[in-house]
């Protein structure tokens, strides 16, 4: 819960800042569009203002052309007059439309049209009179000041219009300035927001970095704690292991001492019995029977003590294997396996077995231990053959990600699934007990492989065959604390 | 007991083993006198302070596992004494630990015999030892 609260407390200002920034962005966009519109409107208003001035210019041009013609009678003065007369209605139309658009001089525009029409008529009529040679009449019209007053009125009307258009331009320009100011403010606000956002993000990042750093420190302390614990466990395991090995050693030593007595004096008894027998070759049959009974008992004692001696030797060997110092070296496993197979050639010939060796991965490990392991497995394969088929034994292997897998596969009598775990225990054997053995071979193999950092596995089916698999590190180095 | 005959000193804490060893030595027709010590201390006392102080015609049968000290200590003591160094020492023990055997030979033991449960081979070893006794010449160090 604390985590969620910290998250929202962290994220909320950022989210708000982001939202505001988005709004500012949209506003800026809109404002820029509006600014463009206002600029266009200002331009239009200015054009209109110029259009009003243009109309006045056209009217003045028309009058100037008329005056020139009236004075000189020369045709060339008529050209500007004609042009102005043609342009005036068009320009008037532009001015009227603009006035309607901007809502200025709505009534005045009708009056202006009449004035312009009147002035053009006055001009046209005087020009027409002059063309007809009636110059005096034309001059009389000019002198009547009708044209002058019409022109005055037009000038006044257009001046008013001009002023109104100027107002429109100013108004639009002010509006543009306002929009521009708002845009500026918005952009500044956006910049400030960005700054705030950056600061927030930096703060958040720093907080998170600090948190990561704290977590890392915690993890490191956990790790070192774990390492200490592992070291402590390793040390106590090592002590326990040492104790077990010492125990095995002492037991095997001390058990042998009384056993020697039992064996030795059993032999003494046996020779005493033989002496007694020799003393009375034709003796009392009851005595002979007793001596035979004694002989039988001594035989059982001898067998049992021999077996016991075998077991004690096995324990001793086992404890020695556990204590031997392993020395890693580079080993050509294919060659090593071939040597082991060669050492078993006689045994293989006896059981008519075919033994083949594939290419095996090379290892850095203890040579003697690996020889013993492979030798033990091969020995088993040759020992527990199935008499009904030609024995075939195959050694193969491969390495993958630093682990080498070596397989010893046979088509022998196989091991019942329920015995798969048991066969690795000391003094335990599986299946028919019809072959010699103490039940220590696989226990030894497992001990050695484990000390070399690996493991031994078995896959087997009764009556089909067995595959023993050894998994070993390709590059093994003894760990000082465990193997000393 | 003449001055020239070799006396067998047997250091063995297990009376059963001592008896078996003695019986087999006798069976191998070795008639030298045998003096039995049940611990290392008694044997050392005999050699350096007791009756054996001034004589050197001994053969030592030494068990490595003794109650009061290790047989290796006795071996080392004998082999570091210039007058005792030549004394033949036969180490008898229950183990066939290679490291232990190597250590004994390093210290100068002459023969190392594992006490076998197989009684016959033990007797053979003792008999061979008898042969060894008979051809062995132990120089007598003049009494000082």
């Amino acid at each position: 819960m604390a985590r969620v609260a910290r998250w929202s407390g962290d994220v909320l200002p950022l989210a708000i800042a982001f939202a505001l920034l988005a709004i500012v962005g949209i506003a800026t966009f809109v404002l820029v569009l509006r600014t463009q519109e206002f600029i266009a409107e200002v331009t239009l208003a200015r054009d209109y203002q110029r259009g009003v001035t243009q109309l006045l210019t056209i009217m003045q041009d028309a009058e100037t052309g008329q005056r020139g013609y009236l004075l000189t009678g020369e045709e060339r003065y008529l050209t500007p007059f004609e042009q102005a007369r043609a342009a005036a209605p068009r320009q008037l139309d532009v001015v009227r439309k603009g006035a309607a658009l901007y809502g200025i001089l709505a009534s005045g525009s009708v009056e202006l049209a009449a004035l312009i029409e009147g002035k053009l008529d006055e001009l046209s009529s005087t020009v027409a009179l002059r063309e007809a040679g009636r110059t005096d009449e034309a001059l009389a019209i000019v002198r009547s000041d009708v044209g002058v007053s019409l022109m005055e009125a037009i000038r006044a009307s257009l001046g008013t219009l001009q002023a109104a258009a100027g107002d429109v331009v100013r108004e639009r320009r002010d509006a543009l300035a306002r929009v521009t100011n708002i845009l500026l403010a918005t952009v500044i606000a956006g910049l400030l927001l960005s700054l705030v956002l950056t600061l927030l993000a930096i703060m958040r990042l720093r907080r998170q970095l600090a948190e990561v750093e704290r977590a890392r420190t915690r993890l490191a302390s956990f790790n070192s704690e774990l390492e200490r614990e592992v070291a402590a466990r390793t040390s106590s395991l090592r002590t326990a292991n040492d104790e077990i090995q010492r125990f095995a050693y002492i037991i095997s030593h001390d058990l042998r001492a009384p056993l020697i007595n039992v064996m030795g004096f059993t032999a003494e008894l046996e020779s005493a019995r033989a002496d007694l027998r020799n003393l009375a070759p034709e003796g009392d049959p009851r005595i002979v029977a007793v001596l035979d009974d004694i002989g039988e008992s001594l035989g059982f004692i001898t067998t049992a003590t021999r077996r016991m001696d075998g077991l004690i030797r096995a324990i001793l060997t086992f404890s020695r294997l556990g204590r031997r110092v392993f020395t890693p070296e580079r080993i050509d496993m294919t060659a090593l396996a071939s040597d082991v197979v060669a050492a078993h050639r006689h045994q293989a010939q006896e059981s008519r077995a075919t033994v083949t060796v594939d290419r095996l991965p090379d290892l850095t490990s203890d040579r003697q231990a690996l020889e013993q392991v492979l030798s033990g497995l091969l020995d088993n394969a040759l020992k527990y053959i199935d008499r009904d088929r030609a024995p075939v034994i195959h050694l193969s292997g491969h390495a993958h990600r630093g682990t080498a897998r070596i397989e010893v596969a046979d088509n022998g009598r196989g091991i019942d699934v329920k015995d798969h775990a048991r066969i690795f225990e000391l003094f335990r054997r599986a299946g028919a007990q019809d072959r010699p053995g103490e039940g220590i071979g696989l226990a030894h193999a497992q001990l050695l492989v484990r000390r070399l950092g690996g493991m031994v596995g078995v896959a087997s089916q009764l009556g089909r065959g067995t595959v023993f698999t050894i998994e070993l590190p390709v590059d093994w180095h003894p760990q000082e604390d465990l193997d000393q | 007991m003449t001055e020239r005959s070799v006396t067998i000193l047997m250091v063995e804490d297990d009376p059963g083993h001592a008896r078996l060893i003695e019986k087999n030595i006798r069976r191998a027709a070795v008639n030298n006198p045998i003096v039995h010590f049940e611990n290392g201390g008694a044997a050392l006392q005999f050699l350096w302070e007791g009756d054996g102080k001034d004589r050197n015609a001994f053969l030592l049968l030494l068990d490595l596992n003794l109650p009061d000290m290790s047989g290796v200590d006795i071996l080392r003591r004998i082999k570091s004494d210039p007058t005792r160094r030549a004394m033949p020492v036969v180490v008898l023990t229950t183990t066939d630990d290679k490291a232990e055997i190597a250590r004994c030979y390093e210290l100068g033991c002459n023969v190392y015999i594992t006490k076998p449960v197989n009684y016959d081979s033990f007797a053979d070893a003792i008999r061979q030892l008898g042969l060894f006794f008979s051809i062995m010449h132990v120089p007598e160090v003049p009494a000082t």
Side-chain angles (χ1 to χ4, degrees):
Chain A
M1 287 312 283
R3 177 155 288 269
V4 173
R6 195 164 60 237
W7 261 83
S8 60
D10 229 17
V11 166
L12 198 61
L14 263 180
I16 290 170
F18 261 118
L20 285 175
L21 195 63
I23 290 169
V24 166
I26 293 166
T28 309
F29 181 70
V30 170
L31 284 170
V32 167
L33 287 183
R34 291 286 290 147
T35 307
Q36 282 173 347
E37 275 171 32
F38 276 104
I39 288 171
E41 277 185 30
V42 168
T43 311
L44 273 178
R46 282 225 178 93
D47 286 350
Y48 177 67
Q49 204 180 8
R50 261 198 298 280
V52 173
T53 313
Q54 185 75 28
L55 184 55
L56 183 61
T57 309
I58 288 168
M59 290 313 291
Q60 281 168 346
D61 284 353
E63 195 174 46
T64 310
Q66 174 236 11
R67 296 281 158 85
Y69 182 66
L70 287 186
L71 271 175
T72 60
E74 285 175 23
E75 287 289 328
R76 59 190 175 98
Y77 287 102
L78 274 180
T79 312
F81 168 73
E82 291 299 338
Q83 280 173 351
R85 202 172 58 170
R90 284 203 305 275
Q91 194 61 31
L92 175 66
D93 204 37
V94 168
V95 170
R96 286 175 69 179
K97 276 182 181 157
L101 184 68
Y102 293 121
I104 41 175
L105 249 57
S107 55
S109 69
V110 181
E111 189 192 331
L112 177 68
L115 287 172
I116 285 177
E117 203 182 345
K119 177 65 186 172
L120 287 177
D121 282 350
E122 183 255 344
L123 293 175
S124 301
S125 64
T126 50
V127 169
L129 285 173
R130 179 73 168 93
E131 274 177 336
R134 293 147 69 179
T135 309
D136 294 342
E137 277 177 58
L139 288 176
I141 290 171
V142 172
R143 280 192 195 101
S144 69
D145 283 350
V146 174
V148 174
S149 61
L150 271 173
M151 202 59 200
E152 283 299 319
I154 287 168
R155 196 170 277 122
S157 179
L158 281 178
T160 316
L161 210 52
Q162 178 91 27
D167 287 346
V168 169
V169 168
R170 260 191 305 283
E171 183 207 312
R172 293 292 190 269
R173 201 190 283 139
D174 288 350
L176 175 62
R178 274 198 305 279
V179 171
T180 311
N181 283 339
I182 292 170
L183 180 61
L184 191 66
T186 311
V187 167
I188 288 169
L191 283 175
L192 285 175
L193 260 176
S194 299
L195 197 68
V196 169
L197 198 62
T198 310
L199 284 175
L200 278 175
I202 286 172
M203 272 159 64
R204 188 172 143 70
L205 204 61
R206 284 174 64 110
R207 256 204 307 281
Q208 280 178 348
L209 278 178
E211 207 164 295
V212 165
E213 183 55 32
R214 271 200 300 281
R216 208 189 59 75
T217 314
R218 266 206 304 279
L219 198 65
S221 85
F222 281 153
N223 271 347
S224 67
E225 218 165 276
L226 200 64
E227 266 166 32
R228 268 199 301 282
E229 199 150 307
V230 166
R233 291 272 164 84
T234 307
S235 151
S236 71
L237 270 180
R238 186 176 62 227
T239 312
N241 195 40
D242 287 353
E243 259 166 36
I244 286 170
Q245 276 166 4
R246 251 198 313 280
F247 178 71
Y249 186 76
I250 288 166
I251 283 244
S252 46
H253 246 123
D254 293 0
L255 283 181
R256 283 197 94 210
L259 199 59
I260 286 164
N261 280 327
V262 176
M263 275 310 271
F265 286 106
T266 307
E268 289 296 327
L269 281 177
E270 184 56 46
S271 80
R273 190 184 71 92
D275 290 349
L276 259 182
R277 195 75 189 266
N278 292 337
L279 281 176
E282 307 292 323
D284 190 332
R286 283 177 303 173
I287 293 175
V288 172
V290 170
L291 286 175
D292 285 348
D293 271 0
I294 292 174
E296 190 191 23
S297 302
L298 292 176
F300 278 116
I301 292 172
T302 307
T303 312
T305 45
R306 280 209 181 121
R307 167 132 184 80
M308 192 163 172
D309 186 46
L311 298 182
I312 289 169
R313 272 175 197 277
I315 293 175
L316 202 57
T317 315
F318 207 75
S319 94
R320 266 192 218 129
L321 279 182
R323 287 185 302 169
R324 193 169 79 75
V325 176
F326 285 175
T327 34
E329 59 178 297
R330 197 72 195 153
I331 300 167
D332 179 348
M333 277 304 284
T334 316
L336 186 143
S338 304
D339 288 350
V340 169
V341 169
H344 286 77
R345 193 185 298 131
H346 180 68
Q347 210 180 332
Q349 274 168 358
E350 262 185 6
S351 18
R352 298 173 191 289
T354 315
V355 185
T356 48
V357 180
D358 254 9
R359 179 145 184 80
L360 302 181
D362 290 352
L363 298 176
T364 298
S365 202
D366 184 82
R367 177 179 293 278
Q368 199 187 332
L370 288 182
E371 271 171 5
Q372 286 172 343
V373 170
L374 278 188
S375 179
L377 293 180
L378 186 59
D379 202 55
N380 272 357
L382 287 168
K383 201 150 80 175
Y384 301 108
I385 54 170
D386 192 322
R387 304 263 184 231
D388 294 342
R389 52 178 173 261
V392 176
I393 298 162
H394 183 60
L395 276 72
S396 60
H398 63 269
H400 179 61
R401 291 191 180 185
T403 300
R405 235 173 115 91
I406 294 163
E407 292 188 348
V408 181
D410 66 52
N411 63 346
R413 70 188 202 189
I415 303 158
D416 198 328
V417 175
K418 69 175 167 56
D419 289 328
H420 283 188
R422 208 170 152 270
I423 51 170
F424 291 105
E425 291 172 19
L426 194 58
F427 304 139
R428 296 281 175 275
R429 303 173 74 202
Q433 305 286 311
D434 56 352
R435 310 283 205 282
E438 307 279 6
I440 54 179
L442 284 175
H444 277 191
Q446 190 177 51
L447 177 81
L448 291 169
V449 172
R450 276 189 183 161
R451 279 201 59 197
L452 289 172
M455 50 198 241
V456 187
V458 64
S460 181
Q461 222 178 327
L462 208 54
R464 301 290 293 273
T466 305
V467 181
F468 279 103
T469 308
I470 311 162
E471 279 185 349
L472 287 164
V474 170
D475 210 358
W476 177 78
H477 292 286
Q479 288 168 292
E480 294 292 324
D481 50 350
L482 266 178
D483 283 289
Q484 286 309 303
Chain B
M1 176 193 313
T2 66
E3 282 292 294
R4 304 289 303 172
S5 80
V6 172
T7 301
I8 297 171
L9 306 179
M10 176 168 60
V11 189
E12 170 61 70
D13 66 310
D14 189 315
H17 291 192
R19 184 78 187 108
L20 285 171
I21 291 162
E22 195 181 341
K23 271 184 167 238
N24 281 279
I25 288 170
R26 294 295 174 232
R27 195 170 286 143
V30 174
N31 293 311
N32 302 51
I34 298 174
V35 182
H36 175 213
F37 303 96
E38 288 195 349
N39 57 63
L44 293 178
Q45 205 266 337
F46 173 84
L47 279 172
W48 271 276
E49 289 152 35
D51 294 347
K53 189 171 64 170
D54 301 325
R55 296 192 291 133
N56 214 18
F58 297 121
L59 177 134
L60 188 68
L61 290 180
L62 182 63
D63 183 17
L64 283 187
N65 293 303
L66 295 169
D68 57 342
M69 63 181 72
S70 166
V72 174
D73 295 334
I74 299 174
L75 183 60
R76 188 181 292 124
R77 176 86 189 268
I78 287 166
K79 292 302 171 183
S80 60
D81 185 319
T83 60
R84 297 292 187 203
R85 189 177 291 152
M87 184 194 292
V89 177
V90 177
V91 167
L92 296 163
T93 190
T94 46
T95 68
D96 52 355
D97 188 74
K98 282 190 191 107
E100 201 165 84
I101 295 171
R103 192 144 145 258
C104 286
Y105 279 124
E106 243 168 61
L107 285 169
C109 107
N110 301 74
V111 181
Y112 188 103
I113 295 180
T114 310
K115 287 182 200 166
V117 172
N118 186 332
Y119 183 74
D120 298 333
S121 68
F122 179 60
D124 282 346
I126 293 295
R127 277 188 204 101
Q128 277 168 23
L129 206 58
L131 196 64
F132 177 61
F133 292 169
S134 64
I135 58 165
M136 189 172 55
H137 174 70
V138 183
E140 186 66 19
V141 173
T144 49

